[in-house]
Each structure stands twice: as C-alpha cells, then as structure tokens.
Amino acid sequence: MTDPAPFSEDVVRQIMRHMNDDHAADCLTICRGLAGRPGATAARMTGMDADGIDFAVTEGGAEGQVRIPFSERLTERPQVRREVVRMTEEARAALSA
C-alpha cells in the first residue's frame, strides 16, 4: 500500500522555500510553458503533494492558482528534484517551439 501523503508539511515548506528563493525563474518558466500562461510575469510555488505542484501565477496584473501534475506519483523526496528539472526542461522546449 502506498502512502497517500509521502511528504510532510515541513518537507513541503522546505521545498517551497528553496524553489521560491533559489529557483524563482524556473517557477515562472514552468508556469509559462506547462500551465498555459505564456504572459505570466511572476510565479511562486504555493504547495505540492505526491501528484503535482501548485503555483500562484501573476498574469495581466491578477494572481491566479495553477496546478501542474507530475509525470508520475512521487514517493520520495529525491524524485521532486528530478521532476522539477524535467518540468523546467519541458517548459523551456515548449516556449522555444
């Protein structure tokens, strides 16, 4: 049986802090390229679970929420990094197409 919530609130807060402090540009790229928000001017991670990652996205002066699903259900913390790198690469490719 799989754990329905493999990431504790503390782990999610740590990941959010890291993404928002060290990878703000990647958050924006992911939202522009994978969330269908090419005009977004800002994005910040607001949460995640085993199935996807959540962002607050600013576009046209208004902030909205987007959720981007992971390519598979994640069960371990190291998978988060790999998945975010994959998302960033896919978003860059989509934006340059």
Side-chain angles (χ1 to χ4, degrees), residues 29-94:
T29 297
I30 290 168
C31 290
R32 283 178 172 167
L34 298 183
R37 302 289 185 96
T41 57
R44 62 184 166 79
M45 184 180 167
T46 58
M48 63 160 277
D49 59 27
D51 298 307
I53 188 167
D54 304 306
F55 295 94
V57 179
T58 303
E59 185 175 22
E63 185 175 88
Q65 298 293 316
V66 297
R67 178 165 178 84
I68 302 171
F70 293 132
S71 63
E72 63 182 359
R73 184 171 177 80
L74 307 185
T75 58
E76 299 175 347
R77 188 171 179 165
Q79 291 175 294
V80 176
R81 181 183 186 284
R82 289 191 299 270
E83 193 63 11
V84 170
V85 168
R86 179 199 61 79
M87 287 177 158
T88 303
E89 290 172 354
E90 282 187 19
R92 285 182 183 145

Side-chain angles (χ1 to χ4, degrees), residues 8-25:
S8 69
E9 289 181 30
D10 186 51
V11 166
V12 172
R13 277 193 302 273
Q14 290 171 18
I15 293 168
M16 284 182 358
R17 185 172 41 251
H18 175 70
M19 287 298 296
N20 293 329
D21 290 351
D22 298 337
H23 299 286

